[in-house]
Amino acid sequence: MREILRFSVALPLLLLLAAGSCLASDAVDDLITKEMSRRKIPGVSVAVLREGRVAKMQGYGVATIERGERVEPETLFEIGSITKQFTAALIMMLVEEAKLRLDDRITQYFPGTPDEWKSITIRHLLTHTSGIPNYTTLEGFEVSRHLTSEQFVRALAAHPLRFTPGAKFAYCNSGYNLLGFIIEKVSHDSFWNVLQRRIFGPLRMTASHSRDLPDAHSRAEGYEKKRNDLVRRDSNLTDIFSAGAIVSSVKDLVQWARAIDSASIVSRSALQQMWSPVKLNDGSSYPYGFGWRLEDFDGRRNIGHSGSTSGFSASLQRFPDYDLTVIVLCNLGEEGVATSVARMVAEIVTTPRKKAVEAGK
């Protein structure tokens, strides 16, 4: 049963007190505090990078309402589908090492799957164009079932494809779980060990790990809105594995953002592929690459991804034309809230430059 925490005068006051002396320090602080109060967000952690340097890294509010623990840059949050950036990066590392190819048929990694899967490639999984149904909308994939990779694939294969592979884009966590299993098969190790050895370790992302492991660091509690109440998130969660199971902090994600900017983990040519819109069978394209959405921000490029799990919202947004990255993590499961806040932060940060450009015309 979920524990209900009623909103009262005390909760907004707790948020304001936890934000501390930052309230009047700059426009970003004012924005975050305002949005937390308006949306009833218990805690937020934010990082802003300009030209690869940290311009801001700050926690606001509380990680746990019950204990009143402050959010710090080190506080861990579930980052949901931002995990897909890491999974896609591991795939591209293996591609660059000639250990697999983007156009490999996935049936070579999953024997015994249906005939209609025979034309599905790794590229289709990366770009959400496989036609495989999204398992997070299906029964039988809860964490409590502890499905092995073989059991997962067998359960998924029992459902028919939704469309011909490559015909259209349909967001699909199933594909990214299958990519995690492919990484394990090719690397002869668990996904989490590979991730630690190849990305978390080299980047000194010391606090990041699977959400299913115990924490040595402070971890935020997740909350959902129910009318005028906050409820602790449901404990019977879907097993989201390599599609969305990383917990991390803005302090760690700053290291990831820097590695992307410097192309120190995957090459620039690999990143270019990851940031190219997927081509569909009819010749049209869709603004999604490999684990990254490709969107517009005031007519400029916005490359990023959101994450949403029960009780949490996360966003990592790059604005390359401004040499800007904004990371927002929060412990409210309102879908899209972190990306909304990240873009508002980007608007504040980029406004002086836009005004200067306009003045120079």
Side-chain angles (χ1 to χ4, degrees):
M1 181 181 292
R2 292 178 173 182
E3 179 181 350
I4 295 177
L5 306 152
R6 293 203 175 277
F7 281 132
S8 65
V9 176
L11 180 57
L13 179 60
L14 181 59
L15 298 179
L16 293 175
L17 288 174
S21 61
C22 300
L23 290 176
S25 60
D26 65 29
V28 170
D29 293 328
D30 293 341
L31 167 71
I32 300 298
T33 304
K34 176 183 175 183
E35 289 302 304
M36 289 175 68
S37 178
R38 183 173 75 87
R39 298 174 184 263
K40 305 298 188 289
I41 307 171
V44 176
S45 195
V46 175
V48 178
L49 287 84
R50 297 296 304 270
E51 299 177 351
R53 295 189 295 272
V54 175
K56 188 175 197 65
M57 187 157 57
Q58 177 73 42
Y60 306 81
V62 291
T64 57
I65 294 173
E66 301 81 359
R67 296 190 298 276
E69 296 175 3
R70 290 175 181 250
V71 173
E72 305 289 351
E74 298 82 9
T75 301
L76 291 171
F77 293 78
E78 293 187 12
I79 67 170
S81 287
I82 296 175
T83 300
K84 291 179 172 67
Q85 297 177 7
F86 294 88
T87 301
L90 289 175
I91 288 289
M92 294 306 292
M93 291 166 134
L94 294 171
V95 168
E96 293 191 311
E97 294 163 359
K99 293 180 179 177
L100 53 75
R101 297 177 305 146
L102 291 174
D103 295 318
D104 281 347
R105 305 296 176 91
I106 68 169
T107 50
Q108 75 182 73
Y109 301 100
F110 305 113
T113 47
D115 287 346
E116 63 178 356
W117 282 32
K118 287 183 177 178
S119 63
I120 300 174
T121 65
I122 289 175
R123 189 187 301 274
H124 288 135
L125 300 183
L126 286 164
T127 56
H128 303 283
T129 57
S130 69
I132 294 173
N134 188 1
Y135 79 95
T136 54
T137 65
L138 305 173
E139 294 291 331
F141 293 91
E142 294 80 12
V143 172
S144 57
R145 292 179 181 264
H146 303 291
L147 298 181
T148 65
S149 59
E150 291 78 12
Q151 290 170 331
F152 179 92
V153 173
R154 191 181 313 121
L156 193 59
H159 299 272
L161 295 186
R162 299 293 193 251
F163 52 85
T164 301
K168 64 179 183 179
F169 175 96
Y171 195 82
C172 181
N173 289 297
S174 307
Y176 272 78
N177 270 25
L178 294 175
L179 289 169
F181 297 143
I182 290 171
I183 290 166
E184 291 185 329
K185 289 173 181 288
V186 173
S187 303
H188 306 289
D189 203 352
S190 76
F191 171 80
W192 297 106
N193 284 347
V194 176
L195 185 59
Q196 175 62 39
R197 184 174 69 252
R198 304 212 60 174
I199 296 181
F200 290 167
L203 296 184
R204 298 183 181 178
M205 296 175 66
T206 57
S208 301
H209 56 75
S210 165
R211 74 176 185 178
D212 299 324
L213 296 177
D215 293 299
H217 301 265
S218 174
R219 182 165 170 177
E221 184 74 47
Y223 300 94
E224 298 280 350
K225 285 182 186 175
K226 187 175 182 181
R227 298 185 181 89
N228 286 328
D229 300 325
L230 278 180
V231 296
R232 281 190 176 185
R233 63 97 170 269
D234 195 335
S235 59
N236 191 22
L237 304 172
T238 304
D239 187 358
I240 47 177
F241 185 46
S242 50
I246 292 176
V247 293
S248 191
S249 65
V250 293
K251 185 176 181 181
D252 271 13
L253 289 174
V254 161
Q255 299 301 102
W256 172 242
R258 283 172 165 162
I260 294 298
D261 286 342
S262 64
S264 63
I265 288 293
V266 292
S267 69
R268 296 203 182 278
S269 62
L271 288 170
Q272 189 61 42
Q273 291 184 75
M274 295 171 76
W275 295 337
S276 296
V278 55
K279 296 289 186 183
L280 302 177
N281 293 348
D282 64 2
S284 63
S285 63
Y286 188 88
Y288 193 97
F290 301 166
W292 296 83
R293 292 189 182 274
L294 313 169
E295 298 176 304
D296 175 87
F297 174 75
D298 289 344
R300 305 269 184 163
R301 292 177 296 161
N302 177 189
I303 304 170
H305 214 292
S306 61
S308 182
T309 57
S310 179
F312 294 92
S313 180
S315 191
L316 190 155
Q317 301 296 324
R318 301 181 70 257
F319 306 91
D321 298 323
Y322 294 106
D323 210 348
L324 170 69
T325 298
V326 180
I327 304 165
V328 176
L329 308 178
C330 66
N331 58 345
L332 178 68
E334 180 182 330
E335 189 169 355
V337 63
T339 293
S340 175
V341 171
R343 288 183 176 144
M344 285 189 277
V345 170
E347 183 66 31
I348 289 173
V349 174
T350 59
T351 292
R353 179 172 169 180
K354 286 185 282 189
K355 286 182 177 179
V357 170
E358 287 296 319
K361 287 184 178 178

